[in-house]
Amino acid sequence: MLKAFGAPSRYYQGPGAIDELGRWAAVFGRHAALVIDGYVHGVLGGKLAALCQANGVALHALVLEGDLTPDVVARLRGQAGALGADMVIAVGGGKALDAGKAVARHLHRHLITVPTVASNDAPTSKNYVLYDEHHNLLAVEHMLFNPTLVLVDTAVVATAPPLFFRAGLGDAISKKFEAAQCAANGGLNMYDAAPTVTAQRIADGCAATLLADGEAALAAAGTGQTSPAFERAVEAMILMSGLGFESGGLSIAHALTRGLSKIAGVEKALHGMQVALGLLVQLDLEARDDGVREELLEWYGRVGLPRTLRELGATRIDQAELTLCADLTLKARHAANFPRKLGVAELAGALQRHAG
């Protein structure tokens, strides 16, 4: 089986990185479709337009509100197509970046991503998630290639509330363990190929960086001021995590996000928070005796990640909901990347042990 490794063509990170937007946009043409959420447009829209205008690029804003549903995607694609856009620029959180990917895929245009939070690794990846009007996950779809350019302005990211940073820690810390399960059990990565050793090494480095710097970095979140630890952690949460999962593969921790939303109260939890708990469940099922799970539990306590379903937001622990969660999880592609075939009862039992 062939191995595959994918990545963005270029990645820039640091305070002021957003100031490079106009210069790079001009490389791709003169008209850009800006896919952006409403709040971020109010804060940064004027600056983004000025940066592009100074470089001869006209920016046409397509504002996203609410979940990314098929109807919303169709509307955005229609608007972007009518503009005759030469490129797509996606600015904001995960939903806005995913919307930009859907538009770029439809138009066959270059994509520039500009994240304003570090809550997940969407900026570097080619995949995007569609939901229905009730916030149920419908599908994970993919661009043919990763974003062409990623601009991570850490001065902007540092203004986001700490909750989003915590979610980013939770989403990223799992990648080492999920990639290892994928590789060990003949799984496929996001390129439908065998994972590479390079991806595993990156995922390992991601976890090591977060365990070393995550707590100190969290102290800077929401302050608007960066620090060396913050810079290292953001790089781990966006770049290392993104490369590690796409080229390394996923396992139970991410598969659980298919089912956790069926537990009352948990549907409101951010993706990274769900993944954080999912990792604990995965390590429980692995029956590890190397002290890693205990080390992570201690780290979770220091950085504020959920260790139980109650801490994740569950308002009740209902056996029928746990069973439904387990059933939906095991239907996810990534659930097969495990040493043994799990049953619904076994997974529901592991969830019960994490009820709190």
Side-chain angles (χ1 to χ4, degrees):
M1 182 185 297
L2 291 176
K3 295 182 178 182
F5 182 91
S9 296
R10 197 72 59 84
Y11 177 94
Y12 287 94
Q13 177 186 311
I18 201 170
D19 295 334
E20 299 295 308
L21 178 62
R23 176 171 73 90
W24 282 110
V27 172
F28 304 115
R30 290 292 173 260
H31 294 275
L34 171 67
V35 181
I36 188 169
D37 69 58
Y39 172 77
V40 175
H41 187 244
V43 175
L44 291 176
K47 178 175 183 175
L48 297 171
L51 288 169
C52 288
Q53 184 177 18
N55 288 272
V57 178
L59 207 55
H60 308 275
L62 308 179
V63 179
L64 173 71
E65 301 289 358
D67 280 337
L68 188 62
T69 66
D71 286 344
V72 169
V73 168
R75 175 177 61 81
L76 292 173
R77 285 173 171 174
Q79 292 174 333
L83 293 172
D86 301 312
M87 76 206 79
V88 178
I89 300 171
V91 182
K95 290 179 183 178
L97 302 190
D98 278 7
K101 294 173 189 178
V103 172
R105 174 187 176 187
H106 177 70
L107 297 180
H108 301 287
R109 294 290 186 268
H110 286 281
L111 173 65
I112 300 173
T113 61
V114 185
T116 56
V117 296
S119 60
N120 55 61
D121 47 30
T124 65
S125 75
K126 65 182 178 63
N127 69 293
Y128 58 95
V129 181
L130 297 180
Y131 295 88
D132 66 17
E133 62 274 13
H134 304 296
H135 194 64
N136 295 310
L137 189 150
L138 283 179
V140 178
E141 299 192 354
H142 301 261
M143 299 190 298
L144 184 59
F145 294 100
N146 293 68
T148 302
L149 178 65
V150 181
L151 295 176
V152 183
D153 191 322
T154 44
V156 172
V157 172
T159 66
L163 173 62
F164 294 107
F165 197 85
R166 286 191 180 92
L169 292 172
D171 182 48
I173 194 65
S174 76
K175 304 304 169 50
K176 168 182 177 175
F177 306 98
E178 294 192 83
Q181 287 295 347
C182 183
N185 295 288
L188 300 178
N189 61 21
M190 299 302 110
Y191 302 97
D192 287 325
T196 61
V197 174
T198 299
Q200 183 66 63
R201 295 295 178 265
I202 292 173
D204 292 347
C206 174
T209 301
L210 296 182
L211 291 173
D213 293 315
E215 188 175 1
L218 180 61
T223 68
Q225 301 295 318
T226 69
S227 68
F230 187 84
E231 292 288 342
R232 290 191 293 269
V234 168
E235 182 180 342
M237 291 191 291
I238 295 179
L239 182 59
M240 293 184 194
S241 178
L243 301 183
F245 100 82
E246 273 201 301
S247 295
L250 296 172
S251 183
I252 300 298
H254 266 76
L256 271 163
T257 62
R258 297 294 184 99
L260 283 171
S261 61
K262 298 303 180 182
I263 298 174
V266 174
E267 73 279 359
K268 300 175 183 178
L270 292 173
H271 170 80
M273 296 297 196
Q274 294 187 21
V275 172
L277 184 66
L279 175 59
L280 296 182
V281 173
Q282 176 181 317
L283 296 178
D284 177 304
L285 291 165
E286 291 180 19
R288 300 175 73 111
D289 60 0
D290 55 4
V292 167
R293 190 170 182 277
E294 290 70 26
E295 179 186 6
L296 283 174
L297 281 168
E298 182 182 344
W299 183 75
Y300 274 31
R302 296 201 307 269
V303 299
L305 290 176
R307 293 163 292 187
T308 67
L309 287 168
R310 296 286 187 192
E311 290 182 2
L312 189 58
T315 54
R316 66 172 185 267
I317 305 298
D318 180 272
Q319 189 59 46
E321 290 182 350
L322 295 182
T323 298
L324 177 59
C325 172
D327 182 58
L328 291 173
T329 295
L330 294 177
K331 291 177 180 176
R333 162 186 164 180
H334 314 307
N337 298 331
F338 204 68
R340 63 186 183 279
K341 184 176 176 60
L342 295 170
V344 170
E346 183 180 9
L347 181 53
L351 287 164
Q352 182 67 60
R353 290 193 292 275
H354 290 80

